[in-house]
Amino acid sequence: MSYNINKKGYYGEFGGAFIPEMLYPNVEELRQNYLKVMAEPDFQKEFNQLLKDYVGRPSPLYFAKRLSEKYNTKIYLKREDLNHTGAHKINNTIGQILMAKRLGKHRIIAETGAGQHGVATATVCALMGLECIVYMGEIDIARQAPNVARMKMLGATVVPATSGSKTLKDATNEAIRDWINNPVDTHYIIGSVVGPHPYPDMVARFQAIVSEEIKWQLQEHEGTENPDYVVACVGGGSNAAGAYYHFLDDTNVNLIAVEAAGLGVDSGESAATSVLGREGIIHGSKTLLMQTNDGQITEPYSISAGLDYPGVGPMHAHLYKSGRAEFISITDDDAMTAGLELCKLEGIIPAIESSHALAVFEKKQFKPNDIAVVSLSGRGDKDLETYINHFKL
Amino acid sequence: MNRINQKLQEDKKLLSIYFTAGYPNINDTATIIQNLEKNGVDMIEIGLPFSDPLADGPTIQASSTQALKNGMTTDVLFNQLKDIRKTVNIPLIIMGYFNPMLQYGVEAFCQKCQEIGIDGLIIPDLPVDVYHEDYKATFDKYSLINVFLITPQTSDERIRYIDSISNGFIYMVSSASTTGAQSGFGDEQTSYFERIANMNLKNPQIIGFGISNNDTFTQATKYAKGAIIGSAFVKHVTNNGVGTIDGFINKIYFK
């Protein structure tokens, strides 16, 4: 069984491109070109150069000694938090901006929830001198003021999404509508492994640098390329896709996907899509999503804006359904506690998204000789206010 | 013969009206359909509301959100329509996004449509290929016509392909836009209308998106068999309720 995408754009039964005809030419242009463009030597050269000199790659694979001692196992942290702009998101936006340039696009649109992908997109647009419009839910704009300011400083226009629930899914709808209205000159930089084919695969390939580095870095540390576990949080699932990518078909490596349980999986305030979702279609992709019996998409909840998405990328839906990855849900409280623990034990303030992944060690027993690599997908600077409110700091 | 095909054979330009089911009030559905027919409308698209209508602009988004708040569901709609064929004869099409149909079960959905007397479906986010491979047989079994969209960006080759698997009409989206975005047609639209008219397609074309008044209706039907009005009608019932539909329809046919 393959866990990667097939020729028709599906992971098992998930994926595809369920898009209105108005988007067909845009998506088809991308589908026909993305692999070709990515394989061009000058694309590879420019992509790798920017990842090195601008993003600061390779990101370290750090052996977390005190954390490992506490949980009596070997824990490595893949430090995506040390990237420029503070998260893994920039790997994808660098790749997509180079793609957009080669496709002759000069107007860039993006959606953002908490603002991390918006900032990463605004950053690469500034770098390349391209117009940038970021759609963001009205509610998210109000609660993520610093990131809104960052995007504006970087020259982007932030457009509030005022439809529906006024959060990430609606921002995504608005970006898609913008693309329908601007089919020729615009490239849509989707921020996760979601959306119509080829987006999930393209974004996964741009994020695959994470697992590519883990392999040689672990070889240096441990004399083996393969850890026993790769642990990553999953909202849409781009950091997980990157961390899993080169291990997908190597079933000796266990994959753990951590979803946000919010206030609890059964509380009605949760974003644990694998538990609460059913197969359906969201943003052009057949996948698991949270919905009513009637097929209306529902609003998820998590303390972490980056995990607050009612769907999940089709790759992850397939990893779940096939049993290739183990899915674990972590509540707001447990994630926050794990985040603070990393501060105290390792001197690293993680993004709350990443804190969900760290909380797995309280929930699951690992053996002393197990090697677990955790994708530390982002830094916690953006979350200070949430940490302050939660712990009354 | 399917009512849509029959209607398309009539020697006249057709006016089709879209409305969102369950809006402004949950029980307006049958009243709107009956009033539209009474006022000479040729065909009706009944919008099954969806939480995330990607192809729609603000007017239809807002009506969909409100309709869902009013309690509209697939079952409620089917129930409201169960006796509709006792009073209404013109073609009825359900327009909706694919996920609610998928959750209902595509076969069950189609079967229910046939029972009620629905003649066709428009599902913007069900791609032509997926329809062709997975669902065409089911649609055929229940005598439902599936209507596909084309846009100014659709290549001639793809238009020919869409024409080859269509068996009713082709829904010509007037410009690169979501619904309700345009006001009036420029040179770009008319040259696109001409281009399609000259392709001599097997299926007649009906133009939608950007039709709101007598002017745009007349312009569109110069090149096509008919025109579809959606957002402008939804706006009308928002402002005037469902009792004064005759005024709106008269303005489309006569200045």
Side-chain angles (χ1 to χ4, degrees):
Chain A
M1 185 183 231
S2 171
Y3 299 97
N4 220 317
I5 198 152
N6 68 21
K7 277 195 180 120
K8 294 181 80 180
Y10 284 81
Y11 298 87
E13 65 198 272
F14 300 108
F18 292 81
I19 47 167
E21 188 62 29
M22 294 82 113
L23 283 178
Y24 180 82
N26 316 24
V27 172
E28 182 63 11
E29 180 186 25
L30 198 59
R31 190 187 68 78
Q32 283 183 6
N33 289 295
Y34 81 110
L35 291 176
K36 218 165 29 188
V37 171
M38 286 177 74
E40 285 166 8
D42 76 297
F43 180 95
Q44 281 299 322
K45 193 178 164 209
E46 196 176 357
F47 182 55
N48 290 325
Q49 192 79 46
L50 282 169
L51 288 183
K52 176 169 175 279
D53 297 338
Y54 189 71
V55 175
R57 302 204 72 92
S59 67
L61 183 69
Y62 165 70
F63 177 64
K65 186 161 172 284
R66 297 186 68 207
L67 195 67
S68 298
E69 277 166 8
K70 164 142 193 208
Y71 291 105
N72 195 25
T73 190
K74 288 175 168 174
I75 302 172
Y76 284 86
L77 304 177
K78 182 57 175 165
R79 300 289 309 275
E80 292 300 298
D81 61 317
L82 293 176
N83 292 341
H84 179 42
T85 73
H88 70 290
K89 292 285 185 191
I90 190 110
N91 303 328
N92 170 44
T93 60
I94 292 270
Q96 284 206 50
I97 200 86
L98 296 178
M99 180 68 62
K101 277 185 71 175
R102 278 160 178 78
L103 295 176
K105 311 290 178 183
H106 42 81
R107 182 174 174 275
I108 300 296
I109 56 172
E111 85 294 337
T112 196
Q116 289 307 103
H117 173 59
V119 168
T121 304
T123 298
V124 297
C125 286
L127 180 68
M128 296 293 166
L130 294 180
E131 183 186 1
C132 180
I133 295 123
V134 179
Y135 289 90
M136 187 169 185
E138 204 173 40
I139 291 175
D140 291 331
I141 286 180
R143 60 186 180 189
Q144 304 289 341
N147 272 344
V148 175
R150 280 186 188 101
M151 287 185 268
K152 287 181 177 167
M153 288 176 72
L154 292 161
T157 306
V158 180
V159 181
T162 58
S163 61
S165 52
K166 304 178 175 70
T167 57
L168 176 59
K169 97 179 159 69
D170 308 283
T172 308
N173 292 339
E174 289 305 326
I176 291 174
R177 288 180 188 122
D178 179 307
W179 211 20
I180 288 175
N181 283 283
N182 298 281
V184 181
D185 63 342
T186 298
H187 176 72
Y188 175 20
I189 300 191
I190 293 185
S192 190
V193 287
V194 301
H197 177 64
Y199 276 104
D201 185 44
M202 181 173 68
V203 176
R205 284 167 188 267
F206 287 140
Q207 293 292 359
I209 183 73
V210 176
S211 47
E212 192 185 314
E213 288 174 3
I214 291 172
K215 276 184 167 279
W216 64 258
Q217 288 171 322
L218 201 64
Q219 181 71 42
E220 282 182 6
H221 281 285
E222 294 280 346
T224 171
E225 284 194 335
N226 289 354
D228 298 293
Y229 293 91
V230 179
V231 184
C233 63
V234 174
S238 68
N239 94 83
Y244 298 164
Y245 196 87
H246 290 285
F247 302 113
L248 280 174
D249 290 331
D250 198 336
T251 49
N252 292 324
V253 180
N254 297 292
L255 308 177
I256 298 180
V258 185
E259 292 184 307
L263 301 183
V265 167
D266 300 320
S267 68
E269 299 289 336
S270 177
T273 307
S274 73
V275 185
L276 300 170
R278 293 195 320 278
E279 290 166 32
I281 288 162
I282 181 169
H283 298 138
S285 182
K286 186 181 267 187
T287 186
L288 297 170
L289 63 133
M290 292 166 58
Q291 54 184 320
T292 64
N293 287 336
D294 207 37
Q296 309 294 343
I297 299 171
T298 55
E299 193 55 20
Y301 163 79
S302 164
I303 194 167
S304 145
L307 302 181
D308 202 355
Y309 183 69
V312 63
M315 173 199 280
H316 301 299
H318 182 50
L319 293 178
Y320 174 74
K321 186 127 189 226
S322 63
R324 172 69 183 93
E326 178 183 2
F327 278 64
I328 295 177
S329 326
I330 296 293
T331 61
D332 286 358
D333 282 347
D334 290 348
M336 295 303 277
T337 304
L340 194 61
E341 181 178 79
L342 190 73
C343 301
K344 309 263 191 222
L345 288 180
E346 300 288 349
I348 298 169
I349 302 176
I352 299 172
E353 289 80 6
S354 318
S355 299
H356 283 74
L358 293 163
V360 157
F361 296 102
E362 276 294 337
K363 204 140 184 188
K364 181 180 168 79
Q365 188 65 52
F366 292 78
K367 294 200 285 285
N369 284 328
D370 282 343
I371 299 170
V373 174
V374 180
S375 172
L376 197 68
S377 55
R379 69 178 83 128
D381 305 32
K382 69 182 175 68
D383 296 319
L384 273 190
E385 201 177 312
T386 312
Y387 278 121
I388 289 166
N389 292 337
H390 192 85
F391 292 112
K392 312 274 180 276
L393 298 170
Chain B
M1 188 193 269
N2 186 298
R3 290 182 198 88
I4 295 171
N5 296 119
Q6 261 173 6
K7 180 56 84 176
L8 289 164
Q9 286 176 5
E10 288 181 16
D11 184 23
K12 65 176 291 205
K13 297 297 183 180
L14 306 180
L15 172 63
S16 180
I17 295 283
Y18 166 94
F19 75 98
T20 305
Y23 178 86
N25 300 298
I26 182 79
N27 288 320
D28 287 337
T29 311
T31 316
I32 291 179
I33 293 172
Q34 286 156 357
N35 283 351
L36 286 172
E37 182 177 46
K38 220 183 295 170
N39 284 287
V41 166
D42 297 295
M43 194 153 59
I44 299 174
E45 291 168 26
I46 304 163
L48 175 61
F50 182 48
S51 54
D52 297 75
L54 292 179
D56 287 300
T59 304
I60 293 178
Q61 286 170 40
S63 66
S64 302
T65 304
Q66 186 59 46
L68 293 172
K69 272 189 200 150
N70 291 346
M72 183 49 74
T73 66
T74 309
D75 276 325
V76 168
L77 179 62
F78 283 147
N79 202 39
Q80 290 175 343
L81 294 175
K82 70 179 192 303
D83 294 323
I84 200 72
R85 282 302 175 196
K86 288 181 181 161
T87 54
V88 173
N89 294 310
I90 59 174
L92 297 176
I93 294 172
I94 290 185
M95 181 163 187
Y97 289 82
F98 192 42
N99 196 49
M101 296 178 197
L102 199 59
Q103 300 309 320
Y104 196 89
V106 174
E107 171 130 24
F109 193 96
C110 290
Q111 189 177 4
K112 199 78 191 173
C113 284
Q114 189 190 38
E115 265 172 51
I116 290 166
I118 296 295
D119 307 291
L121 296 170
I122 304 175
I123 312 162
D125 59 342
L126 174 60
V128 186
D129 292 329
V130 177
Y131 166 76
H132 198 54
E133 272 177 42
D134 297 346
Y135 300 112
K136 186 174 184 305
T138 309
F139 278 54
D140 289 348
K141 180 175 167 192
Y142 297 104
S143 309
L144 291 168
I145 284 177
N146 194 25
V147 177
F148 297 105
L149 278 55
I150 62 168
T151 81
Q153 273 70 41
T154 312
S155 68
D156 283 5
E157 187 193 354
R158 189 163 169 86
I159 291 172
R160 298 260 175 229
Y161 170 58
I162 288 172
D163 189 40
S164 75
I165 61 168
S166 296
N167 56 352
F169 64 91
I170 290 175
Y171 190 137
M172 261 177 80
V173 176
S174 68
S175 57
S177 72
T178 46
T179 54
Q182 299 291 311
S183 55
F185 296 132
D187 293 347
E188 208 177 310
Q189 269 92 37
T190 46
S191 73
Y192 158 60
F193 295 166
E194 263 169 28
R195 175 167 73 91
I196 304 303
N198 290 333
M199 284 182 78
N200 294 313
L201 300 175
K202 152 173 95 89
N203 292 274
Q205 302 96 54
I206 299 191
I207 297 178
F209 290 44
I211 320 284
S212 59
N213 52 26
N214 175 272
D215 260 7
T216 40
F217 178 77
T218 311
Q219 257 182 297
T221 52
K222 204 171 122 189
Y223 303 94
K225 178 67 184 166
I228 301 164
I229 298 181
S231 297
F233 180 72
V234 172
K235 266 185 209 156
H236 175 83
V237 299
T238 302
N239 297 330
N240 306 285
V242 298
T244 57
I245 284 170
D246 50 335
F248 180 83
I249 301 301
N250 281 337
K251 271 193 230 155
I252 304 301
Y253 282 129
F254 314 103
K255 274 196 186 185

